[in-house]
mmCIF file with all atom_site columns, all heavy atoms in Angstrom:
data_model
loop_
_atom_site.group_PDB
_atom_site.id
_atom_site.type_symbol
_atom_site.label_atom_id
_atom_site.label_alt_id
_atom_site.label_comp_id
_atom_site.label_asym_id
_atom_site.label_entity_id
_atom_site.label_seq_id
_atom_site.pdbx_PDB_ins_code
_atom_site.Cartn_x
_atom_site.Cartn_y
_atom_site.Cartn_z
_atom_site.occupancy
_atom_site.B_iso_or_equiv
_atom_site.pdbx_formal_charge
_atom_site.auth_seq_id
_atom_site.auth_comp_id
_atom_site.auth_asym_id
_atom_site.auth_atom_id
_atom_site.pdbx_PDB_model_num
ATOM 1  N N   . ASP X 1 53 ? 75.668 179.025 272.253 1.00 91.00 ? 65 ASP X N   1
ATOM 2  C CA  . ASP X 1 53 ? 76.388 178.886 270.994 1.00 91.00 ? 65 ASP X CA  1
ATOM 3  C C   . ASP X 1 53 ? 77.723 178.183 271.269 1.00 91.00 ? 65 ASP X C   1
ATOM 4  O O   . ASP X 1 53 ? 78.114 178.023 272.422 1.00 91.00 ? 65 ASP X O   1
ATOM 5  C CB  . ASP X 1 53 ? 76.612 180.259 270.342 1.00 91.00 ? 65 ASP X CB  1
ATOM 6  C CG  . ASP X 1 53 ? 77.314 181.236 271.262 1.00 91.00 ? 65 ASP X CG  1
ATOM 7  O OD1 . ASP X 1 53 ? 78.428 180.927 271.739 1.00 91.00 ? 65 ASP X OD1 1
ATOM 8  O OD2 . ASP X 1 53 ? 76.745 182.310 271.518 1.00 91.00 ? 65 ASP X OD2 1
ATOM 9  N N   . PRO X 1 54 ? 78.422 177.761 270.204 1.00 94.00 ? 66 PRO X N   1
ATOM 10 C CA  . PRO X 1 54 ? 79.696 177.048 270.405 1.00 94.00 ? 66 PRO X CA  1
ATOM 11 C C   . PRO X 1 54 ? 80.746 177.851 271.176 1.00 94.00 ? 66 PRO X C   1
ATOM 12 O O   . PRO X 1 54 ? 81.519 177.286 271.946 1.00 94.00 ? 66 PRO X O   1
ATOM 13 C CB  . PRO X 1 54 ? 80.166 176.752 268.980 1.00 94.00 ? 66 PRO X CB  1
ATOM 14 C CG  . PRO X 1 54 ? 78.915 176.706 268.171 1.00 94.00 ? 66 PRO X CG  1
ATOM 15 C CD  . PRO X 1 54 ? 78.008 177.741 268.802 1.00 94.00 ? 66 PRO X CD  1
ATOM 16 N N   . GLN X 1 55 ? 80.766 179.164 270.984 1.00 96.00 ? 67 GLN X N   1
ATOM 17 C CA  . GLN X 1 55 ? 81.751 179.991 271.686 1.00 96.00 ? 67 GLN X CA  1
ATOM 18 C C   . GLN X 1 55 ? 81.498 179.997 273.196 1.00 96.00 ? 67 GLN X C   1
ATOM 19 O O   . GLN X 1 55 ? 82.434 179.955 273.994 1.00 96.00 ? 67 GLN X O   1
ATOM 20 C CB  . GLN X 1 55 ? 81.737 181.432 271.141 1.00 96.00 ? 67 GLN X CB  1
ATOM 21 C CG  . GLN X 1 55 ? 82.217 181.550 269.708 1.00 96.00 ? 67 GLN X CG  1
ATOM 22 C CD  . GLN X 1 55 ? 81.160 181.137 268.691 1.00 96.00 ? 67 GLN X CD  1
ATOM 23 O OE1 . GLN X 1 55 ? 79.960 181.107 268.971 1.00 96.00 ? 67 GLN X OE1 1
ATOM 24 N NE2 . GLN X 1 55 ? 81.610 180.796 267.491 1.00 96.00 ? 67 GLN X NE2 1
ATOM 25 N N   . THR X 1 56 ? 80.235 180.063 273.588 1.00 96.00 ? 68 THR X N   1
ATOM 26 C CA  . THR X 1 56 ? 79.884 180.018 275.011 1.00 96.00 ? 68 THR X CA  1
ATOM 27 C C   . THR X 1 56 ? 80.245 178.664 275.596 1.00 96.00 ? 68 THR X C   1
ATOM 28 O O   . THR X 1 56 ? 80.766 178.575 276.713 1.00 96.00 ? 68 THR X O   1
ATOM 29 C CB  . THR X 1 56 ? 78.371 180.282 275.199 1.00 96.00 ? 68 THR X CB  1
ATOM 30 O OG1 . THR X 1 56 ? 78.050 181.535 274.587 1.00 96.00 ? 68 THR X OG1 1
ATOM 31 C CG2 . THR X 1 56 ? 77.994 180.307 276.661 1.00 96.00 ? 68 THR X CG2 1
ATOM 32 N N   . LEU X 1 57 ? 79.992 177.604 274.836 1.00 96.00 ? 69 LEU X N   1
ATOM 33 C CA  . LEU X 1 57 ? 80.345 176.261 275.289 1.00 96.00 ? 69 LEU X CA  1
ATOM 34 C C   . LEU X 1 57 ? 81.847 176.127 275.447 1.00 96.00 ? 69 LEU X C   1
ATOM 35 O O   . LEU X 1 57 ? 82.334 175.579 276.447 1.00 96.00 ? 69 LEU X O   1
ATOM 36 C CB  . LEU X 1 57 ? 79.819 175.218 274.295 1.00 96.00 ? 69 LEU X CB  1
ATOM 37 C CG  . LEU X 1 57 ? 80.137 173.764 274.621 1.00 96.00 ? 69 LEU X CG  1
ATOM 38 C CD1 . LEU X 1 57 ? 79.552 173.353 275.962 1.00 96.00 ? 69 LEU X CD1 1
ATOM 39 C CD2 . LEU X 1 57 ? 79.626 172.855 273.504 1.00 96.00 ? 69 LEU X CD2 1
ATOM 40 N N   . GLU X 1 58 ? 82.611 176.635 274.497 1.00 97.00 ? 70 GLU X N   1
ATOM 41 C CA  . GLU X 1 58 ? 84.078 176.580 274.567 1.00 97.00 ? 70 GLU X CA  1
ATOM 42 C C   . GLU X 1 58 ? 84.591 177.293 275.815 1.00 97.00 ? 70 GLU X C   1
ATOM 43 O O   . GLU X 1 58 ? 85.473 176.783 276.511 1.00 97.00 ? 70 GLU X O   1
ATOM 44 C CB  . GLU X 1 58 ? 84.675 177.204 273.305 1.00 97.00 ? 70 GLU X CB  1
ATOM 45 C CG  . GLU X 1 58 ? 86.188 177.152 273.249 1.00 97.00 ? 70 GLU X CG  1
ATOM 46 C CD  . GLU X 1 58 ? 86.721 177.657 271.915 1.00 97.00 ? 70 GLU X CD  1
ATOM 47 O OE1 . GLU X 1 58 ? 86.252 177.182 270.849 1.00 97.00 ? 70 GLU X OE1 1
ATOM 48 O OE2 . GLU X 1 58 ? 87.608 178.532 271.941 1.00 97.00 ? 70 GLU X OE2 1
ATOM 49 N N   . LYS X 1 59 ? 84.051 178.454 276.084 1.00 97.00 ? 71 LYS X N   1
ATOM 50 C CA  . LYS X 1 59 ? 84.462 179.207 277.265 1.00 97.00 ? 71 LYS X CA  1
ATOM 51 C C   . LYS X 1 59 ? 84.140 178.425 278.545 1.00 97.00 ? 71 LYS X C   1
ATOM 52 O O   . LYS X 1 59 ? 84.956 178.358 279.462 1.00 97.00 ? 71 LYS X O   1
ATOM 53 C CB  . LYS X 1 59 ? 83.764 180.568 277.282 1.00 97.00 ? 71 LYS X CB  1
ATOM 54 C CG  . LYS X 1 59 ? 84.206 181.459 278.410 1.00 97.00 ? 71 LYS X CG  1
ATOM 55 C CD  . LYS X 1 59 ? 83.542 182.832 278.333 1.00 97.00 ? 71 LYS X CD  1
ATOM 56 C CE  . LYS X 1 59 ? 83.962 183.685 279.493 1.00 97.00 ? 71 LYS X CE  1
ATOM 57 N NZ  . LYS X 1 59 ? 83.328 184.998 279.484 1.00 97.00 ? 71 LYS X NZ  1
ATOM 58 N N   . ALA X 1 60 ? 82.968 177.798 278.590 1.00 97.00 ? 72 ALA X N   1
ATOM 59 C CA  . ALA X 1 60 ? 82.565 177.035 279.776 1.00 97.00 ? 72 ALA X CA  1
ATOM 60 C C   . ALA X 1 60 ? 83.433 175.797 279.970 1.00 97.00 ? 72 ALA X C   1
ATOM 61 O O   . ALA X 1 60 ? 83.779 175.446 281.097 1.00 97.00 ? 72 ALA X O   1
ATOM 62 C CB  . ALA X 1 60 ? 81.097 176.648 279.671 1.00 97.00 ? 72 ALA X CB  1
ATOM 63 N N   . ILE X 1 61 ? 83.791 175.124 278.879 1.00 97.00 ? 73 ILE X N   1
ATOM 64 C CA  . ILE X 1 61 ? 84.648 173.940 278.966 1.00 97.00 ? 73 ILE X CA  1
ATOM 65 C C   . ILE X 1 61 ? 85.998 174.299 279.564 1.00 97.00 ? 73 ILE X C   1
ATOM 66 O O   . ILE X 1 61 ? 86.566 173.551 280.361 1.00 97.00 ? 73 ILE X O   1
ATOM 67 C CB  . ILE X 1 61 ? 84.832 173.286 277.574 1.00 97.00 ? 73 ILE X CB  1
ATOM 68 C CG1 . ILE X 1 61 ? 83.537 172.613 277.133 1.00 97.00 ? 73 ILE X CG1 1
ATOM 69 C CG2 . ILE X 1 61 ? 85.983 172.287 277.583 1.00 97.00 ? 73 ILE X CG2 1
ATOM 70 C CD1 . ILE X 1 61 ? 83.552 172.144 275.686 1.00 97.00 ? 73 ILE X CD1 1
ATOM 71 N N   . ASN X 1 62 ? 86.517 175.447 279.191 1.00 97.00 ? 74 ASN X N   1
ATOM 72 C CA  . ASN X 1 62 ? 87.846 175.850 279.638 1.00 97.00 ? 74 ASN X CA  1
ATOM 73 C C   . ASN X 1 62 ? 87.855 176.609 280.959 1.00 97.00 ? 74 ASN X C   1
ATOM 74 O O   . ASN X 1 62 ? 88.921 176.980 281.442 1.00 97.00 ? 74 ASN X O   1
ATOM 75 C CB  . ASN X 1 62 ? 88.518 176.665 278.532 1.00 97.00 ? 74 ASN X CB  1
ATOM 76 C CG  . ASN X 1 62 ? 88.869 175.788 277.352 1.00 97.00 ? 74 ASN X CG  1
ATOM 77 O OD1 . ASN X 1 62 ? 89.725 174.921 277.453 1.00 97.00 ? 74 ASN X OD1 1
ATOM 78 N ND2 . ASN X 1 62 ? 88.177 175.988 276.240 1.00 97.00 ? 74 ASN X ND2 1
ATOM 79 N N   . ASP X 1 63 ? 86.688 176.829 281.535 1.00 96.00 ? 75 ASP X N   1
ATOM 80 C CA  . ASP X 1 63 ? 86.596 177.466 282.845 1.00 96.00 ? 75 ASP X CA  1
ATOM 81 C C   . ASP X 1 63 ? 86.992 176.452 283.918 1.00 96.00 ? 75 ASP X C   1
ATOM 82 O O   . ASP X 1 63 ? 86.310 175.439 284.090 1.00 96.00 ? 75 ASP X O   1
ATOM 83 C CB  . ASP X 1 63 ? 85.175 177.961 283.091 1.00 96.00 ? 75 ASP X CB  1
ATOM 84 C CG  . ASP X 1 63 ? 85.018 178.709 284.401 1.00 96.00 ? 75 ASP X CG  1
ATOM 85 O OD1 . ASP X 1 63 ? 85.902 178.611 285.285 1.00 96.00 ? 75 ASP X OD1 1
ATOM 86 O OD2 . ASP X 1 63 ? 83.987 179.392 284.554 1.00 96.00 ? 75 ASP X OD2 1
#
Side-chain angles (χ1 to χ4, degrees):
D65 55 57
Q67 293 78 20
T68 304
L69 179 60
E70 182 174 309
K71 184 177 178 181
I73 289 170
N74 290 293
D75 183 344

